[in-house]
Amino acid sequence: MKITHLGHACVLVEAAGARILIDPGAFSDLWHGVRNLDAVLITHQHADHVDPDDAPGLLEKNPQAKVFTADDVDQTVLLPGAEPVIPGQTMSVEGVRIEAVGGNHAIIHQDIPRIHNIGYLLRAEGEPTFFHPGDALDAAPEGVEVLALPLMGPWAAMKEHVEFVRALNAPKCSIPIHDELLSDRGRELLSRQISNLTGTEIISLRGGACRDF
């Protein structure tokens, strides 16, 4: 499995013959030129996870890609061919089995209405199990080996991120995502503390870096 972090919450996963892009949002443009995609997964409707201006164009340039989204994403952006999914649903893309988990976005504030959020668990024979939770820390599927770890959001504090990683039995590797509201010093501090408190190995792929797992 090869993973590339394309800014903020956007990750490209290449496994079992499939190229799967997750959360092409407005906080990064590193994903704009990605081609030959087999699937695009959208966790929820916020613009930092699905760019309403540029995501439709990405799909036009990848017409073969399957598109899976939380079931209320169409309230903010129309994506050609998108299929809404619900928690517990499973999909297949090439040799990758994708399971939808979770259901709701983490609470930002009691006065802000909650929206839906789908985390995506990716499994393929002979490959590590990868989990992208979107903006929620309440789903803890079993067997996660590589975690896309939201490092900071207005909907959580570090203590919650630590307990989330622990609930997942401290995946072997965690790739920091959802980090564009942080300074470099903030990224380093949170990464170090979460690693020290959980034992997960923090592997930064910031700036479009990639790594095989």
Side-chain angles (χ1 to χ4, degrees):
M1 177 178 286
K2 181 178 181 181
I3 299 176
T4 307
H5 183 200
L6 295 174
H8 196 55
C10 187
V11 175
L12 175 65
V13 180
E14 298 173 82
R19 286 169 53 83
I20 300 171
L21 188 72
I22 307 174
D23 278 1
F27 283 13
S28 173
D29 60 5
L30 295 176
W31 53 267
H32 285 190
V34 176
R35 300 292 181 268
N36 301 316
L37 292 173
D38 297 289
V40 177
L41 313 181
I42 307 297
T43 62
H44 64 282
Q45 64 179 246
H46 287 160
D48 61 322
H49 292 257
V50 55
D51 186 338
D53 294 323
D54 291 307
L58 173 76
L59 300 185
E60 289 177 3
K61 295 171 182 175
N62 289 274
Q64 73 287 346
K66 297 179 181 178
V67 184
F68 301 109
T69 75
D71 62 5
D72 56 357
V73 167
D74 61 358
Q75 295 176 1
T76 59
V77 57
L78 295 179
L79 302 174
E83 177 183 337
V85 298
I86 59 174
Q89 186 172 340
T90 59
M91 301 78 71
S92 293
V93 176
E94 298 296 330
V96 180
R97 182 176 180 269
I98 304 170
E99 180 181 350
V101 302
N104 290 313
H105 193 286
I107 296 173
I108 302 172
H109 187 275
Q110 62 182 5
D111 294 341
I112 298 177
R114 294 182 79 179
I115 60 172
H116 291 171
N117 178 91
I118 294 293
Y120 293 102
L121 189 68
L122 278 59
R123 304 182 192 270
E125 186 175 355
E127 311 259 11
T129 297
F130 173 81
F131 182 40
H132 190 305
D135 281 7
L137 305 176
D138 54 355
E142 296 182 356
V144 176
E145 297 166 275
V146 181
L147 171 66
L149 172 63
L151 205 55
M152 186 273 176
W155 38 268
M158 189 193 76
K159 61 181 181 293
E160 295 168 299
H161 295 275
V162 168
E163 294 308 312
F164 172 61
V165 175
R166 288 177 174 176
L168 291 167
N169 294 316
K172 180 179 179 181
C173 303
S174 293
I175 301 164
I177 64 166
H178 211 274
D179 58 348
E180 285 301 317
L181 297 179
L182 291 168
S183 67
D184 287 342
R185 287 182 177 178
R187 292 184 185 94
E188 193 279 331
L189 172 63
L190 291 175
S191 295
R192 183 178 70 252
Q193 291 280 39
I194 293 172
S195 180
N196 288 343
L197 289 167
T198 66
T200 191
E201 180 184 2
I202 301 291
I203 299 174
S204 175
L205 298 179
R206 184 166 168 76
C210 62
R211 177 164 170 170
D212 293 324
F213 292 87

